[in-house]
Amino acid sequence: MTKIFKQLARHWAVCLVVFALLFVQAYCDLSLPDYTSKIVDTGIQQGGIESPLPDTVRQSTLDALSLLMREEDAAAFQNAYTADGDVLRLRTDLTADERTALEDAVTTPDIVLYLAAAQAANTPAGQTGMGMTGLAEMQSAGSTASDTDTETETVAPTADDLDTVCGQFAAMSQMPGFSRDAVQQQLTGAIGQLDETVVENMKSQSLLLVQLEYEAQGIAHDVQMHYLYKVGGQMLGLTLLMVAVSIAVGFLASRVSAAIGRDLRRETFSSVIHFSNAEIENFSTASLITRTTNDIQQVQFVCVMLLRMVAYAPILGIGGVLHVVGNSSGLSWIIVLDVAILLLQFICNRLQYLKIQETGQNIVYTLRNELMAHVESLSMRFFDLTPVGRIVTRITNDTEAVNDLYANTIVRLFRNVVKIIGLAIIMMVMNFRMAMLSFVLVPVMAALTVVFRKLSRKTYQIVKTRITTLNTFLSEHLSGMRVIQIFAREKEKCAEFEEKNESLYRAGVREMMVFAIFRPSIYFLSVIAMAIILGGGSALVLDGVISIGMLYTFTEYISQLFTPVQELAEQF
């Protein structure tokens, strides 16, 4: 590994660019689930409302909220809005600190006003609406809300209920003896009696008041759709950035690894062509060919893995842990559980890998013996017509491909097919309509897979042909090395080798670039499918056809569905 890192150090500038791009890719990869959560939690459940401070508000609602604030907070709240037609609009020149202070000041009044509207909605016809004392009593009853919910059905407040309560508040403010300080003392005492958990849970009702106010203005749907389009656009832009970065990483990693392979082949051949007679006698032709092609191909593969996956894994893992801890979600124990599960998965995968590799090596061992026995039985005419390099390629490179077939491809084929069929069946059983939405991009994915298979097979065949050509060249010239040295043809032969070496380098870059483009393309399709699920599923959630939990389940299933499809396409 030390020598491999020395080879990578020759391309340190490109490696630094790759590491920087990997950090960007990890940031995008970790941020995308947050956008999905925003669409479901804020966009669907909260109607696209992020703050308890409304962007637009009617004068009646503004006055009612102001009555529930301290004098200085009420003045700042009133000054934060300017007239805009029939409504008041929040000023855009507010600083972040001013906006935060207003949000803190308006949260409790929002809760009180919403609870008042809820009580008005559930007050039997003919009864008098509640007064200010009733509001405080309703606050203190928040701790027993779970009990009352199970006993009686409540009606959600409407814009008319909000208007009714705002009218009541306006009337009470004109009554003799009304005191803002008394209201504040009553609210402070009521909230002080509540548990902190109850208070935190009740803060979500401040957003419900803003949603109710938007409904009264007739803009609730527009606000929700604006938020969904905004977050969806950001999610799409982040996905495009991630796809572009992933392609760039694949391109740079391919160029670096292919360049390392090309340079190693050049240096190896330059050393061999200047071997003395004693050194040539110590090495067989087949051994030198294997070192120049097979072994260097393995080094090239390791370099790609180091730059694309090995370097990315710790960045993504550490970033994920910091991301979860930074959110302060109280789910830190899940990290410990995930790490334990990952360790168990690693142990199981390791045992599986060792057993499969043992089986594959036994098969290849038998295959090589049979091939050697077959070659020894061939006529002399076959050896006159077939270059030695081609025979060596068939017995070494191609048998390694068979080993990979038994050790990896067949196992992954069975696992991925079962996973795809199982997910499809589960999704259709859970909700057929959502399943059909999930499968909308299947024809596009199938077409992309067909195109990828054709390109990958073509580039793979070109690489194998170039390797065979290079092996043939090495076989012929290593066997006649003494003649080359006697006639001082080393420079000419190095130039010929460099031409074939460069041809293999370009073919290798093209082959790896096909994979570098295909993987991000499949990921992009999965995000588009996710957007379709969220768009169609959100409408069904709002109509009450499916639950939020089912929508989350389908987003998880759709992310799992595309990975096995990608692996199958790459294998076949």
Side-chain angles (χ1 to χ4, degrees):
M1 289 299 296
T2 303
K3 293 182 179 180
I4 292 179
F5 284 124
K6 287 182 179 179
Q7 293 295 328
L8 289 172
R10 296 182 178 181
H11 307 270
W12 61 270
V14 180
C15 290
L16 288 178
V17 174
V18 169
F19 284 128
L21 291 175
L22 287 177
F23 276 100
V24 176
Q25 184 179 350
Y27 170 78
C28 296
D29 207 355
L30 293 171
S31 298
L32 283 175
D34 289 339
Y35 284 90
T36 303
S37 178
K38 287 180 181 179
I39 289 175
V40 176
D41 295 338
T42 305
I44 299 176
Q45 289 185 302
Q46 299 176 6
I49 299 169
E50 302 177 85
S51 170
L53 189 66
D55 291 328
T56 59
V57 65
R58 296 171 301 163
Q59 185 66 53
S60 60
T61 306
L62 183 74
D63 292 339
L65 291 171
S66 299
L67 290 174
L68 300 169
M69 297 180 184
R70 294 179 300 173
E71 192 74 39
E72 58 272 20
D73 290 337
F77 187 55
Q78 293 276 356
N79 293 331
Y81 287 88
T82 57
D84 185 12
D86 297 333
V87 298
L88 301 172
R89 186 171 297 278
L90 187 67
R91 286 165 34 206
T92 57
D93 59 344
L94 295 174
T95 64
D97 292 338
E98 290 174 337
R99 188 179 181 91
T100 301
L102 287 173
E103 288 178 349
D104 293 338
V106 80
T107 297
T108 299
D110 279 346
I111 296 172
V112 173
L113 198 58
Y114 179 79
L115 292 174
Q119 183 167 334
N122 290 275
T123 299
Q127 292 189 14
T128 306
M130 68 178 183
M132 199 68 71
T133 304
L135 279 173
E137 293 174 351
M138 197 167 186
Q139 285 279 1
S140 62
S143 58
T144 60
S146 59
D147 298 333
T148 57
D149 287 343
T150 58
E151 296 172 2
T152 60
E153 260 185 50
T154 58
V155 178
T158 63
D160 292 335
D161 299 318
L162 178 61
D163 291 337
T164 299
V165 171
C166 289
Q168 292 173 357
F169 274 48
M172 285 187 289
S173 66
Q174 302 300 321
M175 291 181 179
F178 174 80
S179 171
R180 188 189 299 270
D181 293 336
V183 173
Q184 289 296 311
Q185 290 177 3
Q186 190 176 11
L187 292 179
T188 302
I191 294 177
Q193 297 175 6
L194 300 178
D195 184 80
E196 292 183 3
T197 305
V198 176
V199 175
E200 288 297 323
N201 292 335
M202 293 180 68
K203 285 185 178 179
S204 63
Q205 294 178 348
S206 63
L207 301 179
L208 295 177
L209 185 279
V210 178
Q211 187 175 5
L212 203 60
E213 171 63 18
Y214 287 161
E215 289 177 2
Q217 298 176 32
I219 62 171
H221 181 266
D222 294 337
V223 170
Q224 184 177 36
M225 296 309 298
H226 176 267
Y227 180 84
L228 290 174
Y229 284 134
K230 181 185 72 173
V231 177
Q234 292 172 349
M235 185 177 179
L236 181 61
L238 201 64
T239 303
L240 291 174
L241 174 62
M242 182 176 176
V243 169
V245 169
S246 181
I247 292 175
V249 169
F251 173 74
L252 293 176
S254 302
R255 291 292 296 265
V256 169
S257 61
I260 289 174
R262 177 194 59 193
D263 295 342
L264 287 175
R265 284 190 293 268
R266 179 193 301 128
E267 293 170 4
T268 302
F269 186 77
S270 299
S271 299
V272 170
I273 204 170
H274 293 98
F275 275 2
S276 63
N277 292 337
E279 290 174 322
I280 293 176
E281 292 293 337
N282 291 332
F283 295 96
S284 65
T285 301
S287 175
L288 293 174
I289 292 174
T290 301
R291 298 295 175 269
T292 310
T293 55
N294 290 39
D295 294 351
I296 293 178
Q297 286 290 107
Q298 294 297 323
V299 172
Q300 187 172 324
F301 175 75
V302 170
C303 291
V304 173
M305 294 293 292
L306 286 174
L307 290 175
R308 294 194 59 188
M309 297 184 182
V310 176
Y312 185 59
I315 294 174
L316 188 64
I318 296 173
V321 172
L322 296 177
H323 187 71
V324 173
V325 173
N327 285 338
S328 300
S329 57
L331 300 178
S332 301
W333 63 272
I334 292 183
I335 299 177
V336 179
L337 181 60
D338 283 344
V339 171
I341 293 175
L342 288 174
L343 288 175
L344 179 61
Q345 183 182 12
F346 171 78
I347 294 173
C348 294
N349 288 340
R350 182 64 178 173
L351 295 175
Q352 178 189 10
Y353 174 80
L354 293 175
K355 191 63 180 177
I356 291 175
Q357 287 295 325
E358 180 183 356
T359 304
Q361 290 296 332
N362 290 333
I363 293 173
V364 172
Y365 174 78
T366 304
L367 185 60
R368 285 200 188 103
N369 287 336
E370 293 177 355
L371 279 173
M372 192 61 192
H374 176 70
V375 168
E376 289 177 344
S377 65
L378 295 173
S379 62
M380 293 300 298
R381 185 173 182 276
F382 173 82
F383 293 102
D384 292 336
L385 298 176
T386 307
V388 175
R390 182 174 298 177
I391 299 175
V392 173
T393 301
R394 296 295 174 267
I395 297 178
T396 56
N397 295 48
D398 294 349
T399 52
E400 282 300 318
V402 174
N403 177 34
D404 182 70
L405 171 67
Y406 283 105
N408 298 314
T409 305
I410 293 179
V411 176
R412 290 181 181 176
L413 172 64
F414 178 77
R415 181 181 61 198
N416 290 331
V417 169
V418 171
K419 189 173 184 179
I420 291 172
I421 296 175
L423 284 173
I425 293 174
I426 292 173
M427 292 167 72
M428 287 189 289
V429 169
M430 288 185 63
N431 189 289
F432 187 79
R433 187 172 177 180
M434 288 290 291
M436 292 300 101
L437 279 176
S438 305
F439 301 151
V440 165
L441 291 181
V442 168
V444 179
M445 184 172 57
L448 182 63
T449 302
V450 170
V451 173
F452 167 74
R453 286 182 60 190
K454 290 183 178 180
L455 291 176
S456 62
R457 285 186 177 183
K458 183 177 180 180
T459 54
Y460 178 77
Q461 290 172 355
I462 292 174
V463 169
K464 298 301 289 185
T465 302
R466 301 287 167 80
I467 290 176
T468 301
T469 302
L470 188 65
N471 284 346
T472 303
F473 176 87
L474 289 172
S475 174
E476 294 174 352
H477 290 76
L478 292 177
S479 301
M481 187 62 64
R482 292 181 181 177
V483 178
I484 295 173
Q485 292 175 347
I486 289 173
F487 288 95
R489 302 283 295 175
E490 290 90 347
K491 290 185 179 180
E492 290 79 359
K493 296 306 175 183
C494 283
E496 292 181 29
F497 177 83
E498 183 60 27
E499 180 182 351
K500 293 175 171 53
N501 188 24
E502 188 69 24
S503 178
L504 177 58
Y505 161 76
R506 291 194 297 268
V509 171
R510 284 196 297 268
E511 181 187 26
M512 287 183 281
M513 275 304 301
V514 171
F515 286 89
I517 294 175
F518 175 71
R519 293 189 184 108
S521 300
I522 289 293
Y523 184 81
F524 180 72
L525 284 181
S526 69
V527 174
I528 296 298
M530 183 83 70
I532 294 174
I533 287 293
L534 291 173
S538 61
L540 296 178
V541 170
L542 295 175
D543 293 339
V545 178
I546 64 173
S547 64
I548 291 289
M550 181 172 289
L551 180 59
Y552 263 122
T553 301
F554 270 88
T555 58
E556 182 65 24
Y557 282 161
I558 200 67
S559 63
Q560 295 182 18
L561 185 64
F562 279 78
T563 301
V565 173
Q566 173 184 320
E567 291 184 359
L568 286 176
E570 291 180 357
Q571 289 170 350
F572 300 99

